Short mmCIF file of all heavy atoms in Angstrom, two decimals:
data_model
loop_
_atom_site.label_atom_id
_atom_site.label_comp_id
_atom_site.label_asym_id
_atom_site.label_seq_id
_atom_site.Cartn_x
_atom_site.Cartn_y
_atom_site.Cartn_z
N GLN A 270 105.23 132.07 104.05
CA GLN A 270 106.18 132.83 104.76
C GLN A 270 107.33 132.11 105.57
O GLN A 270 108.20 132.79 106.05
CB GLN A 270 105.31 133.70 105.81
CG GLN A 270 104.34 134.66 105.22
CD GLN A 270 104.93 135.92 104.67
OE1 GLN A 270 106.15 136.14 104.79
NE2 GLN A 270 104.21 136.79 104.09
N ILE A 271 107.17 130.77 105.69
CA ILE A 271 108.13 130.07 106.46
C ILE A 271 109.45 129.84 105.61
O ILE A 271 109.37 129.51 104.46
CB ILE A 271 107.46 128.71 106.82
CG1 ILE A 271 106.28 128.95 107.56
CG2 ILE A 271 108.56 127.96 107.69
CD1 ILE A 271 105.48 127.55 107.97
N ASP A 272 110.57 130.03 106.26
CA ASP A 272 111.90 129.78 105.51
C ASP A 272 111.91 128.22 105.12
O ASP A 272 111.81 127.38 106.00
CB ASP A 272 112.95 130.07 106.57
CG ASP A 272 114.36 129.73 106.11
OD1 ASP A 272 114.40 129.19 104.88
OD2 ASP A 272 115.37 130.07 106.75
N PRO A 273 111.97 128.11 103.82
CA PRO A 273 111.90 126.64 103.33
C PRO A 273 113.10 125.73 103.84
O PRO A 273 112.98 124.56 103.81
CB PRO A 273 112.13 126.79 101.80
CG PRO A 273 112.63 128.17 101.55
CD PRO A 273 112.18 129.07 102.78
N ASN A 274 114.15 126.36 104.33
CA ASN A 274 115.29 125.62 104.87
C ASN A 274 115.32 125.37 106.37
O ASN A 274 116.30 124.92 106.90
CB ASN A 274 116.65 126.27 104.41
CG ASN A 274 116.83 126.30 102.87
OD1 ASN A 274 116.47 125.28 102.29
ND2 ASN A 274 117.11 127.37 102.36
N SER A 275 114.33 125.91 107.01
CA SER A 275 114.29 125.87 108.43
C SER A 275 113.71 124.58 108.97
O SER A 275 112.98 123.76 108.28
CB SER A 275 113.39 126.99 108.97
OG SER A 275 112.03 126.77 108.58
N GLU A 276 114.05 124.31 110.26
CA GLU A 276 113.41 123.08 110.96
C GLU A 276 111.89 123.23 111.17
O GLU A 276 111.17 122.20 111.13
CB GLU A 276 114.07 122.94 112.27
CG GLU A 276 115.50 122.38 112.30
CD GLU A 276 116.53 123.39 112.05
OE1 GLU A 276 116.07 124.65 112.09
OE2 GLU A 276 117.73 123.11 112.03
N LEU A 277 111.50 124.53 111.20
CA LEU A 277 110.12 124.76 111.35
C LEU A 277 109.29 124.24 110.16
O LEU A 277 108.33 123.63 110.19
CB LEU A 277 109.79 126.28 111.47
CG LEU A 277 108.38 126.63 111.84
CD1 LEU A 277 107.78 126.06 113.03
CD2 LEU A 277 108.17 128.20 112.01
N MET A 278 109.93 124.54 108.96
CA MET A 278 109.34 124.08 107.65
C MET A 278 109.23 122.54 107.61
O MET A 278 108.38 121.91 107.15
CB MET A 278 110.03 124.63 106.39
CG MET A 278 109.59 124.13 105.14
SD MET A 278 107.76 124.33 104.84
CE MET A 278 107.86 125.96 104.00
N GLU A 279 110.40 121.87 108.15
CA GLU A 279 110.47 120.45 108.14
C GLU A 279 109.26 119.83 108.93
O GLU A 279 108.58 118.89 108.56
CB GLU A 279 111.84 119.99 108.65
CG GLU A 279 111.92 118.46 108.60
CD GLU A 279 113.36 118.02 108.74
OE1 GLU A 279 114.27 118.54 107.92
OE2 GLU A 279 113.54 117.09 109.51
N LYS A 280 109.00 120.49 110.19
CA LYS A 280 107.90 120.05 110.86
C LYS A 280 106.55 120.21 110.28
O LYS A 280 105.61 119.47 110.24
CB LYS A 280 107.95 120.63 112.27
CG LYS A 280 106.85 120.02 113.17
CD LYS A 280 107.05 120.34 114.63
CE LYS A 280 106.00 119.56 115.52
NZ LYS A 280 106.09 119.84 116.98
N ARG A 281 106.54 121.37 109.54
CA ARG A 281 105.29 121.72 108.77
C ARG A 281 104.99 120.63 107.66
O ARG A 281 103.95 120.11 107.39
CB ARG A 281 105.46 123.03 108.21
CG ARG A 281 104.13 123.48 107.44
CD ARG A 281 104.32 123.34 105.98
NE ARG A 281 103.06 123.52 105.23
CZ ARG A 281 102.97 123.24 103.91
NH1 ARG A 281 103.98 122.82 103.16
NH2 ARG A 281 101.81 123.39 103.34
N VAL A 282 106.04 120.27 107.05
CA VAL A 282 106.06 119.14 105.99
C VAL A 282 105.62 117.88 106.64
O VAL A 282 104.77 117.15 106.06
CB VAL A 282 107.40 119.02 105.19
CG1 VAL A 282 107.39 117.80 104.32
CG2 VAL A 282 107.72 120.29 104.43
N VAL A 283 106.15 117.54 107.66
CA VAL A 283 105.69 116.29 108.47
C VAL A 283 104.22 116.33 108.77
O VAL A 283 103.45 115.38 108.56
CB VAL A 283 106.56 116.10 109.82
CG1 VAL A 283 105.85 115.05 110.62
CG2 VAL A 283 107.98 115.75 109.44
N GLY A 284 103.76 117.55 109.19
CA GLY A 284 102.23 117.74 109.54
C GLY A 284 101.42 117.60 108.32
O GLY A 284 100.38 117.02 108.41
N VAL A 285 101.86 118.13 107.13
CA VAL A 285 101.15 117.96 105.90
C VAL A 285 100.97 116.58 105.43
O VAL A 285 99.84 116.03 105.18
CB VAL A 285 101.72 118.89 104.77
CG1 VAL A 285 101.06 118.54 103.50
CG2 VAL A 285 101.48 120.36 105.13
N LEU A 286 102.12 115.96 105.55
CA LEU A 286 102.10 114.41 105.01
C LEU A 286 101.22 113.62 105.99
O LEU A 286 100.45 112.80 105.71
CB LEU A 286 103.50 113.85 104.90
CG LEU A 286 104.37 114.56 103.82
CD1 LEU A 286 105.81 114.18 103.96
CD2 LEU A 286 103.75 114.26 102.50
N HIS A 287 101.39 113.88 107.31
CA HIS A 287 100.63 113.18 108.34
C HIS A 287 99.14 113.37 108.19
O HIS A 287 98.38 112.47 108.22
CB HIS A 287 101.04 113.71 109.74
CG HIS A 287 100.37 112.99 110.89
ND1 HIS A 287 99.19 113.42 111.31
CD2 HIS A 287 100.68 111.91 111.60
CE1 HIS A 287 98.65 112.71 112.33
NE2 HIS A 287 99.66 111.76 112.48
N GLU A 288 98.76 114.58 107.89
CA GLU A 288 97.32 114.92 107.75
C GLU A 288 96.85 114.31 106.45
O GLU A 288 95.73 113.72 106.49
CB GLU A 288 97.13 116.43 107.70
CG GLU A 288 95.66 116.89 107.36
CD GLU A 288 94.77 116.66 108.54
OE1 GLU A 288 95.19 116.03 109.58
OE2 GLU A 288 93.45 116.94 108.41
N PHE A 289 97.62 114.37 105.41
CA PHE A 289 97.13 113.79 104.09
C PHE A 289 96.85 112.23 104.29
O PHE A 289 95.79 111.78 103.87
CB PHE A 289 98.03 114.04 102.98
CG PHE A 289 97.44 113.86 101.63
CD1 PHE A 289 96.93 114.73 100.84
CD2 PHE A 289 97.47 112.53 101.14
CE1 PHE A 289 96.39 114.50 99.54
CE2 PHE A 289 96.94 112.30 99.92
CZ PHE A 289 96.37 113.29 99.12
N LEU A 290 97.84 111.57 104.86
CA LEU A 290 97.69 110.10 105.03
C LEU A 290 96.50 109.84 106.09
O LEU A 290 95.82 108.76 105.89
CB LEU A 290 99.00 109.60 105.58
CG LEU A 290 100.15 109.64 104.57
CD1 LEU A 290 101.44 109.21 105.24
CD2 LEU A 290 99.90 108.72 103.38
N SER A 291 96.31 110.68 106.99
CA SER A 291 95.18 110.55 107.96
C SER A 291 93.81 110.63 107.13
O SER A 291 92.80 110.03 107.70
CB SER A 291 95.27 111.63 109.00
OG SER A 291 96.46 111.39 109.83
N LEU A 292 93.81 111.39 106.13
CA LEU A 292 92.56 111.55 105.38
C LEU A 292 92.20 110.28 104.40
O LEU A 292 91.10 110.16 103.99
CB LEU A 292 92.53 112.79 104.44
CG LEU A 292 92.58 114.13 105.25
CD1 LEU A 292 92.76 115.25 104.37
CD2 LEU A 292 91.31 114.32 106.05
N THR A 293 93.20 109.44 104.27
CA THR A 293 93.02 108.27 103.43
C THR A 293 92.35 107.18 104.23
O THR A 293 92.38 107.09 105.47
CB THR A 293 94.32 107.70 102.84
OG1 THR A 293 95.22 107.30 103.99
CG2 THR A 293 95.08 108.91 102.03
N ILE A 294 91.58 106.26 103.53
CA ILE A 294 90.83 105.25 104.20
C ILE A 294 91.78 104.25 104.84
O ILE A 294 91.47 103.80 105.95
CB ILE A 294 89.91 104.52 103.21
CG1 ILE A 294 88.91 105.61 102.49
CG2 ILE A 294 89.17 103.36 103.84
CD1 ILE A 294 88.00 106.19 103.48
N HIS A 295 92.83 103.87 104.23
CA HIS A 295 93.68 102.90 104.69
C HIS A 295 95.04 103.51 105.33
O HIS A 295 95.99 102.74 105.54
CB HIS A 295 94.05 101.87 103.65
CG HIS A 295 92.93 101.03 103.18
ND1 HIS A 295 92.49 99.92 103.87
CD2 HIS A 295 92.01 101.28 102.12
CE1 HIS A 295 91.42 99.44 103.16
NE2 HIS A 295 91.08 100.20 102.26
N LYS A 296 94.99 104.81 105.58
CA LYS A 296 96.14 105.47 106.20
C LYS A 296 97.44 105.28 105.48
O LYS A 296 98.63 105.21 106.04
CB LYS A 296 96.28 105.13 107.67
CG LYS A 296 95.08 105.10 108.41
CD LYS A 296 94.31 106.41 108.36
CE LYS A 296 92.84 106.51 109.03
NZ LYS A 296 92.09 107.72 108.76
N LYS A 297 97.30 105.18 104.22
CA LYS A 297 98.54 104.98 103.34
C LYS A 297 98.19 105.34 101.87
O LYS A 297 97.03 105.47 101.43
CB LYS A 297 99.06 103.53 103.30
CG LYS A 297 98.11 102.51 102.82
CD LYS A 297 98.56 101.09 102.98
CE LYS A 297 97.57 100.18 102.42
NZ LYS A 297 97.14 100.28 100.93
N THR A 298 99.27 105.65 101.04
CA THR A 298 99.15 105.91 99.60
C THR A 298 100.43 105.70 98.92
O THR A 298 101.47 105.51 99.72
CB THR A 298 98.58 107.30 99.32
OG1 THR A 298 98.17 107.45 98.00
CG2 THR A 298 99.62 108.33 99.69
N LYS A 299 100.44 105.70 97.59
CA LYS A 299 101.74 105.67 96.90
C LYS A 299 102.50 106.92 97.01
O LYS A 299 101.90 107.96 96.91
CB LYS A 299 101.46 105.17 95.50
CG LYS A 299 101.00 103.81 95.32
CD LYS A 299 100.91 103.48 93.71
CE LYS A 299 100.52 102.02 93.60
NZ LYS A 299 100.48 101.67 92.14
N ARG A 300 103.83 106.81 97.22
CA ARG A 300 104.68 107.97 97.17
C ARG A 300 104.50 108.80 95.92
O ARG A 300 104.46 109.98 95.96
CB ARG A 300 106.13 107.48 97.37
CG ARG A 300 107.09 108.75 97.46
CD ARG A 300 108.46 108.23 97.74
NE ARG A 300 109.02 107.56 96.63
CZ ARG A 300 110.22 107.04 96.70
NH1 ARG A 300 111.10 107.37 97.61
NH2 ARG A 300 110.73 106.40 95.53
N ASN A 301 104.33 108.08 94.77
CA ASN A 301 104.26 108.85 93.55
C ASN A 301 102.98 109.74 93.50
O ASN A 301 102.94 110.72 92.74
CB ASN A 301 104.32 107.92 92.32
CG ASN A 301 105.64 108.05 91.65
OD1 ASN A 301 106.71 108.53 92.29
ND2 ASN A 301 105.81 107.67 90.43
N TYR A 302 101.91 109.29 94.06
CA TYR A 302 100.67 110.09 94.09
C TYR A 302 100.86 111.35 94.80
O TYR A 302 100.35 112.45 94.40
CB TYR A 302 99.57 109.30 94.81
CG TYR A 302 99.08 108.14 94.09
CD1 TYR A 302 98.23 107.19 94.62
CD2 TYR A 302 99.57 107.77 92.77
CE1 TYR A 302 97.84 106.00 93.99
CE2 TYR A 302 99.11 106.63 92.21
CZ TYR A 302 98.27 105.76 92.77
OH TYR A 302 97.83 104.60 92.12
N LEU A 303 101.71 111.27 95.83
CA LEU A 303 102.04 112.59 96.61
C LEU A 303 102.91 113.42 95.77
O LEU A 303 102.82 114.73 95.88
CB LEU A 303 102.75 112.25 97.96
CG LEU A 303 101.80 111.50 98.96
CD1 LEU A 303 102.72 111.09 100.17
CD2 LEU A 303 100.78 112.47 99.40
N ARG A 304 103.83 112.80 94.99
CA ARG A 304 104.73 113.65 94.12
C ARG A 304 103.90 114.47 93.17
O ARG A 304 104.26 115.62 92.81
CB ARG A 304 105.59 112.72 93.29
CG ARG A 304 106.87 112.15 94.15
CD ARG A 304 107.63 111.20 93.31
NE ARG A 304 108.93 110.87 93.95
CZ ARG A 304 109.65 109.96 93.56
NH1 ARG A 304 109.32 109.10 92.56
NH2 ARG A 304 110.79 109.68 94.21
N CYS A 305 102.80 113.92 92.63
CA CYS A 305 101.90 114.66 91.71
C CYS A 305 101.33 115.86 92.36
O CYS A 305 100.88 116.76 91.63
CB CYS A 305 100.87 113.74 91.26
SG CYS A 305 101.46 112.40 90.10
N LEU A 306 101.31 115.94 93.68
CA LEU A 306 100.71 117.07 94.48
C LEU A 306 101.61 117.96 95.13
O LEU A 306 101.28 118.87 95.77
CB LEU A 306 99.68 116.55 95.48
CG LEU A 306 98.45 115.68 94.98
CD1 LEU A 306 97.71 115.11 96.05
CD2 LEU A 306 97.61 116.49 94.01
N ARG A 307 103.01 117.67 94.84
CA ARG A 307 104.02 118.31 95.70
C ARG A 307 103.86 119.85 95.52
O ARG A 307 104.00 120.47 96.61
CB ARG A 307 105.40 117.87 95.14
CG ARG A 307 106.49 118.51 95.83
CD ARG A 307 107.85 118.16 95.20
NE ARG A 307 108.07 118.73 93.93
CZ ARG A 307 108.45 120.09 93.74
NH1 ARG A 307 108.70 120.81 94.82
NH2 ARG A 307 108.68 120.59 92.60
N GLU A 308 103.79 120.40 94.37
CA GLU A 308 103.79 121.87 94.28
C GLU A 308 102.56 122.48 94.96
O GLU A 308 102.57 123.49 95.62
CB GLU A 308 103.79 122.33 92.82
CG GLU A 308 105.14 121.98 92.18
CD GLU A 308 105.24 122.67 90.79
OE1 GLU A 308 104.40 123.37 90.48
OE2 GLU A 308 106.18 122.29 90.09
N GLU A 309 101.34 121.82 94.80
CA GLU A 309 100.12 122.34 95.41
C GLU A 309 100.13 122.26 96.89
O GLU A 309 99.50 123.06 97.57
CB GLU A 309 98.93 121.60 94.74
CG GLU A 309 98.52 122.02 93.44
CD GLU A 309 98.08 123.56 93.48
OE1 GLU A 309 97.43 123.94 94.39
OE2 GLU A 309 98.43 124.30 92.43
N LEU A 310 100.73 121.25 97.39
CA LEU A 310 100.96 121.10 98.88
C LEU A 310 102.05 121.85 99.48
O LEU A 310 102.28 121.86 100.65
CB LEU A 310 101.12 119.62 99.20
CG LEU A 310 99.82 118.69 99.04
CD1 LEU A 310 100.27 117.18 99.32
CD2 LEU A 310 98.79 119.12 100.05
N ASN A 311 102.74 122.65 98.67
CA ASN A 311 103.89 123.50 98.92
C ASN A 311 104.98 122.58 99.73
O ASN A 311 105.45 122.96 100.77
CB ASN A 311 103.51 124.66 99.95
CG ASN A 311 104.56 125.68 99.99
OD1 ASN A 311 105.33 125.81 99.05
ND2 ASN A 311 104.52 126.43 101.01
N LEU A 312 105.34 121.45 99.15
CA LEU A 312 106.32 120.60 99.69
C LEU A 312 107.65 120.84 98.98
O LEU A 312 107.65 121.21 97.87
CB LEU A 312 105.86 119.18 99.49
CG LEU A 312 104.64 118.65 100.19
CD1 LEU A 312 104.32 117.26 99.79
CD2 LEU A 312 104.66 118.77 101.64
N PRO A 313 108.66 120.74 99.69
CA PRO A 313 110.02 120.95 99.11
C PRO A 313 110.30 119.86 98.05
O PRO A 313 109.74 118.73 98.02
CB PRO A 313 111.07 120.83 100.29
CG PRO A 313 110.29 120.03 101.37
CD PRO A 313 108.87 120.44 101.13
#
Side-chain angles (χ1 to χ4, degrees):
Q270 296 279 359
I271 304 176
D272 179 355
N274 298 315
S275 67
E276 286 87 2
L277 187 61
M278 175 57 89
E279 184 162 308
K280 186 166 184 179
R281 182 258 169 192
V282 171
V283 170
V285 168
L286 296 172
H287 179 276
E288 176 69 0
F289 193 94
L290 293 170
S291 296
L292 291 173
T293 62
I294 299 299
H295 295 275
K296 311 308 174 190
K297 61 181 177 62
T298 192
K299 287 186 178 182
R300 183 177 64 175
N301 254 19
Y302 294 171
L303 293 170
R304 281 175 170 168
C305 292
L306 300 173
R307 183 184 67 81
E308 291 188 12
E309 280 300 319
L310 288 171
N311 196 27
L312 299 175

